[in-house]
């Protein structure tokens, strides 16, 4: 069943939202060169049941990305106050979280955005010192594996050294928080599946190598400084909010457009690569559970089910009643200089210690994404946001409540 969630005509645009953001939290967003005292927008207070209560607070880098938007949605539904780091841009990059945002003047507002970057260590120190969050989730990175071969230095700086800057900011501010590092199955690279927490790392891309660096510095800060710091080694996790250049979303978006008669072909690279694809909203709950544990540790998060790119293509096209072989074309430009043949995770530890287990497998995931992309086409010209297909997930009303 498809659920349409289009923003009504006349609703606040991203221009309106970011303009209000700039006016209300200017100094916190880097609009002033002067040091600023903490403002109301950096205070985690909200009204609940007639009493003023201090909400648990979280700071998320990469909040405008797929994982960041779902994590913000989940935490808001749990009553958190959420602070997100966003990069200043002349174009809009907040579409995944517009449905969560409220004017900071609203006493019920619990989502606050701050300009900054993982390349700017001093800004990270300033923000963490002002916000004093209970939990820090480092999801920010240059996260496209193929692009990391074209931008290796930038990938190393943002995906690798950026983690060190954030950990140092936590240490320098004396922040008593719990720290989550978004590690990746790409760290395993050429190591054969199934991969678990004890599998040797053998990265096959600049992205994978940068993630290995982040993994070890996170572990080092846990052991050297006693930080509650964990690595979530997440295998591929997708959703309707996945970027359009990632292969799963490229496939499901093309299926929707081909079914609508808007396109005829989609061009792909290696169809034989095997991945363990899961549903991103389930995976961000795994992140949260890691920080609720009694002791910090590292966990693999995966479905345990492998599927090739070809398998995903077949599932997506068949769901729309299309013959994939008529529409899929090969383009060698999408091949990587060094390929990773198979990534399939063993999440037994997360199941045993966190009670986390994936319920959405690759075939169902492809169907969810195709349905969302077809629904998005019906909303073309307006903003569309998917509805999470999980029991008990926060509704828009509970997120803002």
């Amino acid at each position: 069943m498809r659920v349409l969630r289009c923003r009504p005509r006349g609703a606040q645009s991203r221009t309106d939202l970011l303009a209000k953001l700039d006016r209300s939290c200017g100094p916190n967003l880097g609009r002033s060169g002067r040091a600023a005292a903490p403002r109301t927008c950096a205070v985690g207070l909200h009204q609940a049941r007639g009493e003023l209560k201090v909400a648990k607070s979280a700071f998320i880098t990469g909040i405008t990305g797929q994982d960041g938007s779902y994590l913000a949605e989940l935490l808001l539904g749990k009553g958190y106050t959420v602070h997100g780091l966003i990069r200043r841009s002349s174009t809009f990059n907040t579409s995944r979280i517009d449905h969560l945002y409220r004017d900071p003047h609203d006493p019920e507002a619990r989502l606050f955005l701050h300009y900054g970057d993982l390349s700017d260590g001093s800004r990270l120190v300033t923000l963490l010192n002002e916000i004093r969050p209970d939990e820090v989730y480092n999801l920010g990175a240059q996260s496209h594996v193929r692009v990391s071969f074209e931008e290796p230095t930038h990938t190393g700086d943002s995906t690798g050294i950026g983690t060190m800057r954030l950990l140092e900011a936590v240490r320098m501010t004396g922040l008593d928080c719990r720290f989550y590092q978004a590690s990746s199955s790409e760290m395993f690279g050429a190591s054969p599946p199934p991969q678990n927490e004890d599998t040797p790392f053998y990265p096959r891309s600049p992205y994978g190598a940068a993630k290995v660096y982040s993994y070890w510095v996170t572990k080092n800060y846990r052991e050297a400084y006693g930080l509650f710091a964990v690595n979530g080694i997440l295998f591929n996790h997708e959703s309707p909010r996945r970027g359009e250049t990632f292969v799963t979303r490229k496939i499901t978006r093309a299926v929707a457009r081909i079914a609508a008669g808007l396109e005829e072909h989609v061009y792909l690279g290696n169809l034989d690569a095997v991945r363990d694809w899961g549903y991103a909203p389930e995976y961000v709950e795994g992140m949260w559970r890691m920080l609720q544990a009694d002791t910090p540790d590292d966990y693999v998060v995966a479905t345990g089910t492998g599927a090739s790119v070809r398998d995903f293509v077949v599932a997506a096209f068949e769901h729309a009643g299309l013959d994939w072989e008529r529409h899929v074309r090969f383009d060698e430009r999408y091949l990587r200089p060094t390929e990773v043949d198979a990534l399939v995770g063993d999440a037994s530890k997360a199941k045993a210690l966190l009670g986390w287990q994936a319920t959405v497998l690759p075939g169902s995931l492809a169907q969810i994404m195709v349905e969302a992309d077809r629904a998005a086409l019906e909303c073309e010209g307006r903003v569309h946001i998917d509805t999470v297909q999980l029991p008990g997930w926060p509704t828009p009303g509970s997120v803002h409540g």
Side-chain angles (χ1 to χ4, degrees):
M1 177 179 176
R2 281 187 283 164
V3 181
L4 293 179
R5 287 173 62 188
C6 307
R7 188 175 66 214
R9 300 187 190 282
Q12 293 186 91
S13 67
R14 278 179 275 173
T15 309
D16 299 330
L17 294 175
L18 290 179
K20 288 181 178 179
L21 177 64
D22 282 350
R23 289 196 299 272
S24 61
C25 298
N28 275 346
L29 291 168
R31 290 301 228 178
S32 169
R34 300 189 301 271
R39 297 169 58 94
T40 304
C41 65
V43 176
L45 299 177
H46 72 282
Q47 198 77 22
R49 296 185 177 90
E51 299 178 2
L52 194 63
K53 296 186 177 181
V54 179
K56 201 170 184 180
S57 62
F59 178 71
I60 303 173
T61 71
I63 194 170
T64 58
Q66 168 190 257
D67 292 2
S69 68
Y70 283 124
L71 180 61
E73 200 168 297
L74 178 70
L75 296 181
L76 289 169
K78 292 181 178 295
Y80 280 63
T81 294
V82 176
H83 296 265
L85 186 72
I86 63 171
R87 287 173 292 178
R88 179 65 183 173
S89 174
S90 59
T91 56
F92 300 120
N93 59 359
T94 60
S95 61
R96 294 184 181 99
I97 57 172
D98 283 347
H99 66 293
L100 304 175
Y101 189 77
R102 280 192 175 186
D103 188 320
H105 297 99
D106 186 336
E108 297 293 324
R110 289 186 287 113
L111 172 62
F112 306 104
L113 304 178
H114 309 265
Y115 288 128
D117 198 282
L118 287 170
S119 65
D120 187 348
S122 63
R123 177 60 175 157
L124 298 175
V125 170
T126 301
L127 279 176
L128 291 183
N129 195 48
E130 290 180 355
I131 298 167
R132 312 299 296 185
D134 300 297
E135 298 172 3
V136 174
Y137 295 86
N138 184 31
L139 312 184
Q142 190 299 102
S143 59
H144 198 290
V145 177
R146 181 64 184 84
V147 171
S148 77
F149 286 97
E150 299 169 1
E151 296 186 331
T153 304
H154 169 62
T155 300
D157 185 50
S158 62
T159 308
I161 303 298
T163 303
M164 175 67 86
R165 294 189 186 101
L166 189 56
L167 284 164
E168 263 296 276
V170 170
R171 186 186 69 83
M172 290 176 66
T173 56
L175 188 61
D176 182 15
C177 71
R178 297 190 168 198
F179 182 94
Y180 173 85
Q181 167 58 26
S183 291
S184 168
S185 61
E186 287 288 333
M187 300 188 303
F188 297 123
S191 290
Q195 295 101 351
N196 62 25
E197 293 83 2
D198 298 320
T199 301
F201 297 142
Y202 191 157
R204 299 272 284 170
S205 66
Y207 171 78
K211 283 294 187 180
V212 169
Y213 176 87
S214 288
Y215 171 92
W216 283 114
V217 297
T218 299
K219 195 161 185 172
N220 178 251
Y221 270 61
R222 180 170 75 213
E223 296 171 352
Y225 304 113
L227 297 185
F228 192 108
V230 308
N231 283 290
I233 308 173
L234 273 57
F235 280 64
N236 295 67
H237 46 291
E238 316 298 317
S239 75
R241 298 184 199 174
R242 187 50 123 171
E244 295 174 0
T245 60
F246 287 79
V247 67
T248 51
R249 183 74 197 288
K250 182 177 179 180
I251 292 165
T252 61
R253 188 169 178 269
V255 168
R257 296 182 67 81
I258 291 169
L262 300 175
E263 291 180 4
E264 184 63 26
H265 300 113
V266 59
Y267 293 85
L268 302 173
N270 182 8
L271 296 182
D272 296 320
V274 172
R275 295 293 183 269
D276 184 336
W277 280 300
Y279 188 33
E282 288 192 308
Y283 283 47
V284 301
E285 189 197 356
M287 300 176 189
W288 175 78
R289 290 193 183 205
M290 291 178 207
L291 295 195
Q292 314 315 307
D294 293 333
T295 56
D297 207 343
D298 307 319
Y299 298 90
V300 161
V301 175
T303 72
T305 302
S308 68
V309 176
R310 182 180 284 101
D311 293 334
F312 194 93
V313 166
V314 172
F317 275 85
E318 285 187 350
H319 185 64
L322 298 170
D323 178 1
W324 73 274
E325 292 184 294
R326 291 183 54 195
H327 302 286
V328 175
R329 298 290 183 269
F330 172 75
D331 189 335
E332 65 179 9
R333 288 179 295 180
Y334 299 121
L335 297 177
R336 302 176 187 178
T338 45
E339 288 284 352
V340 174
D341 295 330
L343 296 172
V344 182
D346 174 5
S348 300
K349 181 178 175 181
K351 181 179 179 181
L353 300 183
L354 303 177
W356 183 92
Q357 185 175 14
T359 63
V360 179
L361 301 182
S364 299
L365 174 65
Q367 295 176 13
I368 289 172
M369 293 176 66
V370 167
E371 287 299 308
D373 275 318
R374 296 180 79 173
L377 274 183
E378 296 180 28
C379 291
E380 203 159 51
R382 291 169 287 166
V383 174
H384 168 267
I385 193 72
D386 63 297
T387 300
V388 173
Q389 303 298 303
L390 290 176
W393 188 264
T395 62
S398 68
V399 165
H400 287 302

